[in-house]
Amino acid sequence: MKPPPPPPPLMAGGLEKTIGESLFDTKCLAALSEQTNQTRLSTLIRQYVESAGTMLNDVNLPYESRPTEERRVSVKDSKNVILVAHCATNGVEDKVTVSSGFVLNAKLRGNEDESLVLTCAHTLEEIRQSPILTRQQTGTTSNANWLGGTFIVTANGFYPVKGVVSSLPRSDLVLLSCKLPAGSARALPVSPYPAPSQSRIRAHLVAHQKSSSEAGWGAWLGGTWSKWVDGKVVGYRDFGGREAYPGTYDGLSHMYFMPEPTRGSSGGPIVDEMSGAVVGVVLGVEDGKGWGVPAETIFEMFALPGLASTPS
């Protein structure tokens, strides 16, 4: 029996850099110092821990296995994929970790002006475990100079995350709330049905620098580059590392696909080429293959259709 896979490798997920190496990092930290209503990173981390396994009982995520032509994910551009940047500084040291993400077709009751953004959890885990956070939490650095927060980055700018509303650490997923201006990023359709092995897919990939040997890369957010690549589903495994199959009683905890994703792609969508719906989320790389989570896992955060509670 194959042993269970390790946690998603960070090198496949975050854009782990320090200020001075990246103009994007500089912009993140500048936005951090300019925000007056920023939810503190320590608060977001606490919410991440406390919301683990939380189902949003009064919120539905629609089943969109066969979205209309207007709802299909467009793979001609990257405008509906966003970046999620976790930032911290103590005035001397800086830490920025970045992942991809996308908006879901759901709203929190009473907070309809906020978008729900899905991304991977391991870049938040990485900054949570970094020395700069450890020193702040233990009081070995000056809190007067300490700043930390998370931003959703779109083509329109940097927008502070309001809160973490649910998380599935075992599946490496986290759900964030953020007030985004209209038109920033369209909510993507998500399918609850896993794509069969060998299904053709499109995966959204990110690069720090434009490749001189690969075509198709376009200028994206914060000086990064992105493109949609053709690929296919290779197979699935359960939490025990055993091979699993769609359409059976097997638990599909891990999705394997080709091609191998690039660093910074974690949290981005995997789209079924035929239906145009999101069928998975990029997490990392294992044994030369892409590693993700089936989109059906996302629905664990939401009430089943028709079961959302109604106001009394």
Side-chain angles (χ1 to χ4, degrees):
M1 181 181 72
K2 183 176 179 179
L10 293 175
M11 289 297 290
L15 306 171
E16 298 82 14
K17 293 187 177 184
T18 58
I19 188 169
E21 296 180 1
S22 166
L23 176 60
F24 179 75
D25 292 359
T26 305
K27 291 180 178 179
C28 286
L29 294 164
L32 189 63
S33 64
E34 293 166 0
Q35 285 292 333
T36 58
N37 61 341
Q38 177 81 45
T39 302
R40 290 174 62 87
L41 183 58
S42 55
T43 300
L44 297 175
I45 291 172
R46 175 178 54 78
Q47 293 173 344
Y48 163 70
V49 174
E50 293 177 349
S51 68
T54 295
M55 176 187 288
L56 303 176
N57 293 318
D58 59 349
V59 183
N60 289 139
L61 178 63
Y63 287 1
E64 295 188 83
S65 57
R66 291 291 184 270
T68 63
E69 189 64 30
E70 293 76 18
R71 288 286 296 143
R72 287 174 60 97
V73 178
S74 171
V75 295
K76 296 179 180 179
D77 55 56
S78 299
K79 65 181 181 181
N80 292 316
V81 184
I82 51 86
L83 286 177
V84 180
H86 307 293
C87 318
T89 180
N90 59 18
V92 178
E93 301 169 287
D94 309 294
K95 181 71 172 179
V96 178
T97 61
V98 182
S99 60
S100 299
F102 55 97
V103 177
L104 297 182
N105 187 22
K107 295 288 187 179
L108 292 176
R109 184 168 296 175
N111 296 90
E112 286 78 7
D113 61 338
E114 294 182 8
S115 298
L116 293 180
V117 175
L118 186 85
T119 186
C120 65
H122 67 255
T123 48
L124 181 57
E125 284 279 7
E126 185 203 354
I127 201 166
R128 174 191 179 194
Q129 298 168 12
S130 66
I132 190 171
L133 264 290
T134 302
R135 283 191 281 272
Q136 189 269 337
Q137 292 165 355
T138 57
T140 56
T141 188
S142 172
N143 287 332
N145 296 323
W146 196 90
L147 293 172
T150 297
F151 293 98
I152 303 301
V153 186
T154 74
N156 297 327
F158 289 67
Y159 303 96
V161 165
K162 299 296 184 181
V164 175
V165 298
S166 183
S167 66
L168 297 173
R170 193 181 186 194
S171 298
D172 195 11
L173 295 177
V174 62
L175 190 61
L176 311 172
S177 64
C178 180
K179 189 172 183 178
L180 297 174
S184 294
R186 183 170 65 89
L188 302 187
V190 180
S191 173
Y193 307 117
S197 294
Q198 305 307 308
S199 294
R200 301 303 304 180
I201 60 164
R202 295 292 187 93
H204 187 266
L205 303 188
V206 178
H208 302 295
Q209 297 179 336
K210 185 178 182 180
S211 172
S212 58
S213 60
E214 296 181 20
W217 291 100
W220 196 38
L221 303 173
T224 62
W225 299 79
S226 71
K227 69 174 178 176
W228 290 93
V229 297
D230 296 325
K232 66 178 180 179
V233 177
V234 176
Y236 296 88
R237 294 195 179 274
D238 62 18
F239 276 117
R242 295 176 291 267
E243 193 167 2
Y245 301 92
T248 69
Y249 289 104
D250 293 345
L252 307 179
S253 63
H254 298 97
M255 175 185 190
Y256 291 89
F257 63 94
M258 295 294 290
E260 181 179 326
T262 53
R263 223 178 121 180
S265 304
S266 290
I270 301 169
V271 176
D272 179 73
E273 191 174 84
M274 182 175 294
S275 70
V278 175
V279 292
V281 181
V282 178
L283 295 184
V285 177
E286 184 190 10
D287 297 333
K289 298 186 292 292
W291 179 13
V293 61
E296 65 173 344
T297 304
I298 300 170
F299 289 88
E300 294 179 17
M301 298 179 174
F302 296 90
L304 295 175
L307 296 183
S309 60
T310 56
S312 57

